Amino acid sequence: MNFKPVNRHLQVEVVVLPQEKSAPKVLLPEDYRTPDEQYKLCRIVAVSDDCATHFKEKSLVVVNMPMIEKIKVLDAAVCLVLENHVVGIVHE
């Protein structure tokens, strides 16, 4: 599928970072879950033509996680975020 975002949207994919497994130091209930992070590292997949010029495909950005919209297009999931919800660009 070829998807092109418009209206200042960026198509992103959330980067899954490896997590360290450590022995628990405090006993917690089995159904306890840690709260999700407010910000996530994402890779830009596609950029709307009306976005700022510093947003480039394959760049790493930090995004306010609740602002990522997941939509379904032709049986494929697409993650979109408005460019003003990006809080930073990561240079490796």
Side-chain angles (χ1 to χ4, degrees):
M1 174 189 62
N2 192 6
F3 181 85
K4 177 71 175 168
V6 295
N7 294 329
R8 298 179 37 235
H9 279 88
L10 302 167
Q11 181 182 353
V12 297
E13 61 182 8
V14 177
V15 176
V16 179
L17 300 173
Q19 295 181 349
E20 291 183 21
K21 297 226 176 194
S22 60
K25 295 178 174 63
V26 177
L27 293 176
L28 298 171
E30 289 182 21
D31 59 346
Y32 177 80
R33 294 183 185 213
T34 58
D36 289 334
E37 295 178 25
Q38 175 77 23
Y39 299 95
K40 291 284 187 178
L41 183 65
C42 296
R43 186 172 313 280
I44 297 176
V45 176
V47 180
S48 174
D49 292 333
D50 53 358
C51 282
T53 57
H54 54 266
F55 292 115
K56 307 284 185 203
E57 290 181 10
K58 299 181 183 175
S59 295
L60 292 175
V61 292
V62 178
V63 176
N64 188 355
M65 189 61 183
M67 297 298 124
I68 295 177
E69 300 176 58
K70 288 186 179 181
I71 62 172
K72 192 172 183 179
V73 179
L74 298 175
D75 294 330
V78 176
C79 294
L80 297 173
V81 65
L82 278 170
E83 68 177 333
N84 59 321
H85 294 297
V86 174
V87 296
I89 299 173
V90 178
H91 300 285
E92 295 183 69

